Amino acid sequence: MVSLDKPELTNFKQKVIQIVKKIPRGKVTTYGTVSTLAGNLRGARMVGGILHFNSDKYDLPWHRVINREGYISIKRLEYPKELQKALLQQEGIEVSEGFIVNLKKYGWWG
DNA sequence: AAGGTGACTAACA
DNA sequence: ATGTTAGCCACCT
């Protein structure tokens, strides 16, 4: 058994979840960053997909995860961008009218 | 069971 | 500089 941590496929999901939950309050990050930290450079799509399914099952601060433009690409009507904007402002993050966040200012890099 | 879709990003032409 | 193609893996039908 042993061996080193076997990079199990489904582990990526758990890894992403752990990273997302690790994002400090008042900061935001991008899918690409999380995917990279999870071990996959081009796994950004998975991060979005994972949050899509797990945000509803787990308590993931999905509102702290946005696309590279600092814009919320969310498509879940159950979690409208409007809600995210409120959540981000609640964390002390400024959100532009276009739901854009300054990653330069609030971007968390791990 | 297998195929297709997806909350994206980066690289190439 | 912009536009298009390719890649990642899990969840849904």
Side-chain angles (χ1 to χ4, degrees):
Chain A
M1 22 227 60
V2 210
S3 33
L4 310 173
D5 297 311
K6 189 164 74 164
E8 301 173 37
L9 301 177
T10 54
N11 196 358
F12 181 74
K13 176 184 67 174
Q14 292 296 331
K15 212 153 190 179
V16 171
I17 292 168
Q18 293 297 329
I19 293 166
V20 172
K21 290 176 78 169
K22 206 167 84 159
I23 299 169
R25 181 173 170 288
K27 299 264 179 166
V28 295
T29 189
T30 67
Y31 300 103
T33 301
V34 176
S35 66
T36 299
L37 293 173
N40 285 290
L41 178 64
R42 305 248 166 90
R45 280 174 88 163
M46 301 304 95
V47 179
I50 288 163
L51 290 175
H52 172 74
F53 298 105
N54 294 260
S55 63
D56 214 26
K57 295 168 176 143
Y58 300 83
D59 182 14
L60 300 176
W62 58 273
H63 54 265
R64 288 186 193 151
V65 184
I66 54 184
N67 67 17
R68 226 205 150 289
E69 297 179 22
Y71 172 68
I72 291 75
S73 300
I74 194 161
K75 287 186 181 164
R76 291 277 92 159
L77 299 176
E78 297 154 38
Y79 297 94
K81 298 184 265 188
E82 178 181 300
L83 173 62
Q84 210 206 28
K85 182 176 180 180
L87 289 169
L88 290 174
Q89 290 179 338
Q90 198 176 112
E91 306 254 316
I93 299 168
E94 283 192 88
V95 182
S96 298
E97 294 182 10
F99 296 96
I100 309 298
V101 180
N102 290 339
L103 291 171
K104 290 277 204 180
K105 188 172 181 184
Y106 302 105
W108 176 70
W109 216 246

